Amino acid sequence: MKLRPSKYEYYLSIAKAIGQRSTCLRARFGAIIVKDDVIVSSGYVGAPRKVRDCLEIGICLKDMVGAPHGKGYDFCNSVHAEANAVINAARSGASILNGIMFMHGEDPKTGKPVEAMPCTFCRRLLINAGIQKIVFMRADGAMGEYSIDQWVQEETESHLKKIETHRKS
């Protein structure tokens, strides 16, 4: 009999609770940053502070224009959960260098888990912020991890490939 959740399960449950504050009609995401076993910051997906959001207005502009999930960021005024967690750490002066980010996402209509895959911008933000790794809940309910070192390698390879492509054209 399991008496208590593991630390990773515990932190993911907190990220899930934070995600309930999301103002996005398409997805609820919550993120926390843990350093030295202390939660130093949190964030959820939503419009910038004091800006009217989709939840308040009752309609999603991305839905109106038919933008697929993971695309159409120019139509959306939301800041992603992981970016908000980094921003909130900066606002409070908390160091997140070598921290671990825990992320949880869910579909607001069904409540089912949605895999938390940071977009390209957020990946770069997390690399520069010095986050060690991302722990997230998979769509099937299992835990997963993203390696920042792997992202650094992928970003480098992608950049070099783009340079080569443009040199040939």
Side-chain angles (χ1 to χ4, degrees), residues 2-155:
K2 190 172 186 177
L3 298 178
R4 58 192 270 205
S6 71
K7 285 197 177 184
Y8 280 17
E9 290 168 330
Y10 166 71
Y11 290 135
L12 283 170
S13 71
I14 293 169
K16 179 180 181 178
I18 289 166
Q20 300 305 303
R21 292 279 306 151
S22 295
T23 63
C24 177
L25 295 172
R26 285 184 156 201
R28 285 189 202 118
F29 284 95
I32 63 170
I33 300 172
V34 176
K35 183 174 176 180
D36 300 325
D37 210 22
V38 174
I39 299 169
V40 294
S41 189
S42 66
Y44 54 84
V45 64
R49 295 169 194 269
K50 301 178 185 174
V51 173
R52 291 189 68 198
D53 57 69
C54 294
L55 187 64
E56 180 183 357
I57 296 167
I59 192 156
C60 170
L61 184 56
K62 284 175 72 172
D63 282 345
M64 289 176 72
V65 300
H69 285 278
K71 304 284 183 201
Y73 294 122
D74 49 332
F75 290 102
C76 182
N77 74 342
S78 282
V79 178
H80 291 177
E82 54 271 47
N84 271 324
V86 171
I87 291 164
N88 289 333
R91 285 174 65 97
S92 68
S95 172
I96 58 174
L97 185 62
N98 297 317
I100 299 173
M101 179 172 281
F102 293 83
M103 292 184 67
H104 188 280
E106 69 181 29
D107 181 320
K109 293 176 182 96
T110 66
K112 291 183 179 177
V114 173
E115 193 161 309
M117 176 54 168
C119 70
T120 301
F121 175 82
C122 287
R123 283 172 51 140
R124 293 172 182 164
L125 177 76
L126 296 171
I127 290 168
N128 277 0
I131 297 296
Q132 279 183 11
K133 68 180 172 181
I134 314 311
V135 177
F136 65 97
M137 187 66 63
R138 295 185 189 279
D140 65 5
M143 243 183 283
E145 290 187 15
Y146 296 121
S147 163
I148 296 297
D149 290 338
Q150 180 67 35
W151 286 355
V152 169
Q153 183 179 344
E154 289 171 7
E155 285 288 322

